[in-house]
Amino acid sequence: MTHTPVRSDFDQYMVPNYSPQQVIPVRGEGSRLWDQQGKEYIDFAGGIAVNGLGHCHPVLVNALKEQADKLWHLSNVYTNEPALNLARTLVEHSFADKVYMCNSGGEANEAALKLARRWAYDQHGENKDRIISFRQSFHGRTFFTVSVGGQPKYSQGFGPVPGGIVHAEFNNLDSVRELIDANTCAVMVEPMQGEGGLIPATPEFLEGLRELCDANDALLIFDEVQTGVGRTGALYAYMQYGVTPDILTTAKALGGGFPVGAMLTTDRIAPAMGIGTHGSTYGGNALASAVALAAVEYIDTPEVLEGVARRHELFREQLEIINRKHGVFKEVRGMGLLMGAQMSDEYQGRAKDILPLAIEEGVMALVAGPDVLRLAPSLVIPEADIVEGMARLDRAIARLVATQQTAEIATK
Ligand SMILES: *Cc1c(COP(=O)(O)O)cnc(C)c1O
């Protein structure tokens, strides 16, 4: 007899580091999902900015199936055609000359930080090891990346953190000027802070970081794990800012749902990652690379990228309409299809309360911290799904407002 998994199996069999919603989706198509009971949802969460082409996009399914019949994995004892094609495509479509492949955003950042340290060590000696990042930033869950990340709660309680890491204030160049010097090897920054609450960098900030890095011979690392691969309306957000990093990390939408990550850099820096300095058993896996190649080629077209800008306007309009009715948001912000709605003072800490209500109404959303509702839907979500999903979100927020009012009456 086969057992149909239920949500309580999670609590019984899984390490308790997550607290998933109660429903278990079993099938997806485009921007719609269905759960075990056949209830349908519109997906504005996109697997946390991963499913750039929605669920089971035919282009990705075909790439996966075709490669699945040919070759899955070799390890880096051999190279393979999909990895070489993906690397060439990423180089041809970006500032980069060289690519390192891995399996996640955290790994891409780990590689970027190790490369920066090693490059500085080779070029300047062991004193140039300082890494500057930003408060509220998020760079992954490996021990190095949580330490560089600007949310101490993720690195506390795990013993001594790696040294040589300092945090400045995002969008505040003076705070960087105070910390940067000849011993700085790298500045790591998200062009738009994602987990930190959907806060875009100002153009002057990124331009200023570029200048400060150049003046101190430090490397500028853009963490585009969340902003990359079309999410903001360009293949990478740095292109919209016109500020070019020395190292860029990408993952999330890169594989459209298949786990893959990559670190991009230039011929000036890449040699520091010589034979044996770093590696990954799965990195450049043939199956992952075939899917990522299909995703990048499909997304990096004017049709898809212009579509992102158009959909951004529609989402923004709809969020403003909801807000005029319910007054729950202080600000709607973000770039492309990575948008945040900051809860108004009255609803502080209540962003996450929207999620289960939204699920009951048939729409999936995300939060970024306690006060920001986050939307990261498919880049090709049909406009009809946006309108319908927003109508459902409107109903969920009406219910949040109703519970808030009931609570207020109760405390009077
Ligand atoms: C999600 C994210 C990461 C971590 O990626 P994983 O694939 O979960 O390791 C790193 N940086 C940013 C900006 C992210 O949004």
Side-chain angles (χ1 to χ4, degrees):
M1 221 184 87
T2 55
H3 168 74
T4 301
V6 290
R7 172 61 177 76
S8 57
D9 288 343
F10 181 91
D11 302 324
Q12 188 167 355
Y13 299 115
M14 308 274 260
V15 165
N17 63 320
Y18 304 116
S19 164
Q21 300 291 334
Q22 293 300 316
V23 299
I24 302 182
V26 292
R27 190 166 70 80
E29 193 186 318
S31 283
R32 307 236 172 184
L33 282 163
W34 289 267
D35 71 13
Q36 290 173 310
Q37 279 70 44
K39 180 173 149 84
E40 174 241 29
Y41 303 88
I42 291 175
D43 186 6
F44 288 167
I48 316 190
V50 166
N51 301 309
L53 295 176
H55 298 277
C56 299
H57 192 285
V59 165
L60 300 189
V61 172
N62 286 339
L64 181 76
K65 283 185 175 166
E66 243 176 60
Q67 190 59 39
D69 284 330
K70 282 190 206 156
L71 180 71
W72 290 24
H73 177 81
L74 285 166
S75 88
N76 288 296
V77 176
Y78 306 89
T79 188
N80 67 74
E81 291 183 355
L84 295 171
N85 283 331
L86 175 60
R88 182 171 47 78
T89 299
L90 288 171
V91 164
E92 286 176 357
H93 290 232
S94 76
F95 74 97
D97 306 310
K98 293 284 189 285
V99 178
Y100 167 82
M101 288 182 193
C102 53
N103 315 290
S104 67
E107 281 177 61
N109 285 333
E110 185 82 17
L113 294 165
K114 283 180 71 179
L115 173 61
R117 280 266 178 89
R118 192 57 183 255
W119 173 85
Y121 181 90
D122 290 352
Q123 298 294 314
H124 298 271
E126 60 187 28
N127 288 332
K128 195 175 174 70
D129 63 4
R130 178 94 55 86
I131 293 164
I132 298 175
S133 77
F134 297 92
R135 287 194 273 281
Q136 298 309 316
S137 67
F138 182 79
H139 298 299
R141 298 298 203 122
T142 69
F143 204 42
F144 201 172
T145 57
V146 284
S147 310
V148 172
Q151 305 193 35
K153 65 174 189 232
Y154 293 135
S155 56
Q156 273 162 6
F158 296 102
V161 294
I165 300 163
V166 290
H167 296 93
E169 191 185 328
F170 190 69
N171 275 341
N172 178 343
L173 266 185
D174 284 335
S175 74
V176 181
R177 268 188 210 105
E178 272 170 30
L179 295 172
I180 200 164
D181 61 24
N183 287 334
T184 304
C185 77
V187 175
M188 180 176 251
V189 66
E190 300 158 85
M192 171 164 65
Q193 285 195 337
E195 303 304 311
L198 290 303
I199 305 170
T202 62
E204 311 77 65
F205 180 61
L206 294 187
E207 286 158 17
L209 290 182
R210 180 69 276 175
E211 283 165 21
L212 287 171
C213 283
D214 290 343
N216 291 279
D217 205 13
L219 301 180
L220 182 59
I221 306 172
F222 280 179
D223 178 348
E224 292 230 32
V225 169
Q226 190 156 169
T227 53
V229 196
R231 188 53 58 192
T232 62
L235 183 61
Y236 288 102
Y238 84 84
M239 297 168 175
Q240 287 159 302
Y241 281 97
V243 177
T244 304
D246 300 295
I247 300 175
L248 179 149
T249 55
T250 178
K252 291 207 164 95
L254 181 61
F258 202 98
V260 61
M263 178 196 70
L264 280 53
T265 189
T266 62
D267 279 332
R268 182 169 78 99
I269 324 287
M273 201 169 257
I275 293 170
T277 48
H278 193 56
S280 156
T281 299
Y282 286 124
N285 172 281
L287 211 48
S289 300
V291 177
L293 176 65
V296 171
E297 284 186 334
Y298 191 88
I299 289 170
D300 196 20
T301 56
E303 300 77 64
V304 172
L305 297 177
E306 283 161 17
V308 170
R310 214 173 45 242
R311 287 169 176 83
H312 170 94
E313 291 309 323
L314 192 53
F315 267 104
R316 190 176 275 270
E317 236 168 66
Q318 298 277 328
L319 282 167
E320 305 283 2
I321 290 171
I322 288 179
N323 205 30
R324 275 201 291 278
K325 267 203 224 166
H326 303 298
V328 288
F329 304 136
K330 196 189 275 184
E331 186 191 21
V332 174
R333 58 178 182 249
M335 297 168 71
L337 289 176
L338 189 52
M339 303 192 62
Q342 171 100 35
M343 304 305 289
S344 58
D345 294 340
E346 207 184 328
Y347 291 89
Q348 285 294 300
R350 296 209 61 195
K352 71 172 188 316
D353 297 341
I354 297 172
L355 304 189
L357 296 172
I359 284 171
E360 282 179 30
E361 296 296 335
V363 60
M364 290 168 169
L366 296 166
V367 295
D371 300 321
V372 178
L373 179 72
R374 169 171 43 164
L375 304 180
S378 158
L379 306 181
V380 294
I381 183 171
E383 293 191 0
D385 287 5
I386 301 178
V387 173
E388 174 59 27
M390 279 298 180
R392 296 178 186 184
L393 187 63
D394 185 341
R395 292 199 286 274
I397 288 174
R399 288 173 59 187
L400 178 83
V401 171
T403 61
Q404 177 99 348
Q405 283 163 352
T406 315
E408 275 164 18
I409 290 162
T411 56
K412 264 177 197 158

